[in-house]
Amino acid sequence: MPSAVPDAAERRRPLRSFVLRQGRLTAAQERAFAQLWPRYGLAWSPGTPLDLSDCFDGDRPVVLEIGFGNGETLAAMAAAVPAWHWLGVEVHAPGVGHLLLECERLGLTNLRVIRHDAMELLAHAIAPGSLARVQLFFPDPWPKTRHHKRRIVNPAFRDLLGRALRSGGVFHAATDWEPYAVQMLEVLEAAGSPLRNTAGPGGFADRPDTRPLTRFERRGERLGHQVRDLVFARR
Ligand SMILES: C[S@@+](CC[C@H](N)C(=O)[O-])C[C@H]1O[C@@H](n2cnc3c(N)ncnc32)[C@H](O)[C@@H]1O
């Protein structure tokens, strides 16, 4: 009978902001991993360095999108701003496969994909001050109180953002879950935060035109949820 008391291995396992779903890859996504991953994918694993200048040609602003889902928004933004370099990190394999196909369809040359936990990537791979922007659109809201500790926007995440962003660099989040939007404000504006609210204390930002509608945003809108944008700058 399973024990209610977590064993030692379980206690050591960090609390993740995701649960890996066993989604099946479509035939097209299988082909994408076989043929497109070598072009767009970065096989980073903890313990190895990640030099962004090796990942992209030339020295241009780098934008990191965390938890890009199926990647449509990220691919559209990368196509709209070809002069920048775009890096996506996501754990869900079918979403990664979908983005690879979008990269091919749009002929992108300025986007790279990592399949990994973004927290680990920020903590161990991204050099301090190396990112121009970080974007986090419709992160899992973990609505139950006992799951709030799984929300990715927490003080540790905020401090990792502060380390990764260059001075003046921007963190842009959007959510359709109002209690999470309020918690994000609290965390990002807490005393000692390396980030400053560009909308003024306690303020939400206007939705920037540059952010295309995401799949989860359309779902939130169908449910009648108000969408909140938060735009913070590295001090
Ligand atoms: C609710 S979905 C939103 C997807 C997309 N941003 C959108 O708006 O359509 C949240 C996504 O974040 C991913 N995710 C959650 N925690 C993550 C982490 N620590 N590292 C990488 N991806 C993560 C999940 O796999 C999921 O695809």
Side-chain angles (χ1 to χ4, degrees), residues 66-105:
I66 294 173
F68 56 71
N70 69 14
E72 274 171 12
T73 302
L74 174 56
M77 292 181 86
V81 189
W84 286 17
H85 289 147
W86 300 76
L87 181 62
V89 57
E90 168 61 63
V91 287
H92 189 52
V96 172
H98 193 275
L99 175 59
L100 295 173
L101 293 168
E102 280 295 286
C103 289
E104 179 186 52
R105 188 180 70 80

Side-chain angles (χ1 to χ4, degrees), residues 16-21 65-73 89-93 95 114-121 135-142 150 152 157 174 176 211-219:
R16 308 271 194 202
S17 58
F18 57 88
V19 172
L20 263 191
R21 293 161 279 147
E65 180 163 332
I66 294 173
F68 56 71
N70 69 14
E72 274 171 12
T73 302
V89 57
E90 168 61 63
V91 287
H92 189 52
I114 295 180
R115 186 174 169 219
H116 204 87
D117 179 348
M119 281 298 278
E120 284 196 2
L121 190 77
Q135 50 195 44
L136 175 74
F137 298 149
F138 304 89
D140 297 295
W142 292 107
R150 285 185 173 271
I152 194 166
F157 175 76
D176 65 328
R211 182 170 68 69
L213 221 61
T214 83
R215 191 159 73 91
F216 278 85
E217 181 168 16
R218 285 193 288 270
R219 180 176 163 274

Side-chain angles (χ1 to χ4, degrees), residues 4-233:
V5 181
D7 64 17
E10 215 167 309
R11 280 199 302 274
R12 277 197 306 274
R13 200 176 302 144
L15 201 60
R16 308 271 194 202
S17 58
F18 57 88
V19 172
L20 263 191
R21 293 161 279 147
Q22 293 306 317
R24 280 172 62 88
L25 296 180
T26 63
Q29 289 163 357
E30 300 252 17
R31 179 190 69 80
F33 272 100
Q35 295 178 2
L36 303 175
W37 179 262
R39 197 184 322 162
Y40 297 107
L42 291 173
W44 178 78
S45 55
T48 57
L50 178 71
D51 186 343
L52 290 179
S53 57
D54 286 348
C55 309
F56 295 108
D57 291 336
D59 187 19
R60 297 179 181 180
V62 178
V63 184
L64 173 68
E65 180 163 332
I66 294 173
F68 56 71
N70 69 14
E72 274 171 12
T73 302
L74 174 56
M77 292 181 86
V81 189
W84 286 17
H85 289 147
W86 300 76
L87 181 62
V89 57
E90 168 61 63
V91 287
H92 189 52
V96 172
H98 193 275
L99 175 59
L100 295 173
L101 293 168
E102 280 295 286
C103 289
E104 179 186 52
R105 188 180 70 80
L106 295 168
L108 299 180
T109 56
N110 59 336
L111 197 156
R112 296 288 179 275
V113 189
I114 295 180
R115 186 174 169 219
H116 204 87
D117 179 348
M119 281 298 278
E120 284 196 2
L121 190 77
L122 283 171
H124 303 296
I126 304 286
S130 58
L131 299 179
R133 293 181 76 93
V134 176
Q135 50 195 44
L136 175 74
F137 298 149
F138 304 89
D140 297 295
W142 292 107
K144 292 183 181 157
T145 307
R146 71 173 189 280
H147 288 149
H148 285 182
K149 52 186 179 294
R150 285 185 173 271
R151 288 178 174 170
I152 194 166
V153 179
N154 60 39
F157 175 76
R158 174 201 64 209
D159 293 345
L160 288 173
L161 284 181
R163 187 173 153 278
L165 283 168
R166 68 187 187 193
S167 173
V170 167
F171 172 57
H172 179 191
T175 179
D176 65 328
W177 192 250
E178 185 75 13
Y180 197 8
V182 170
Q183 185 198 325
M184 287 185 192
L185 278 181
E186 281 167 16
V187 169
L188 299 172
E189 290 188 341
S193 170
L195 305 170
R196 173 183 60 80
N197 191 345
T198 63
F204 292 112
D206 292 335
R207 176 208 162 92
D209 298 339
T210 48
R211 182 170 68 69
L213 221 61
T214 83
R215 191 159 73 91
F216 278 85
E217 181 168 16
R218 285 193 288 270
R219 180 176 163 274
E221 284 186 347
R222 280 197 303 276
L223 295 169
H225 295 175
Q226 159 111 52
V227 171
R228 299 293 197 182
D229 282 85
L230 296 91
V231 179
F232 279 68

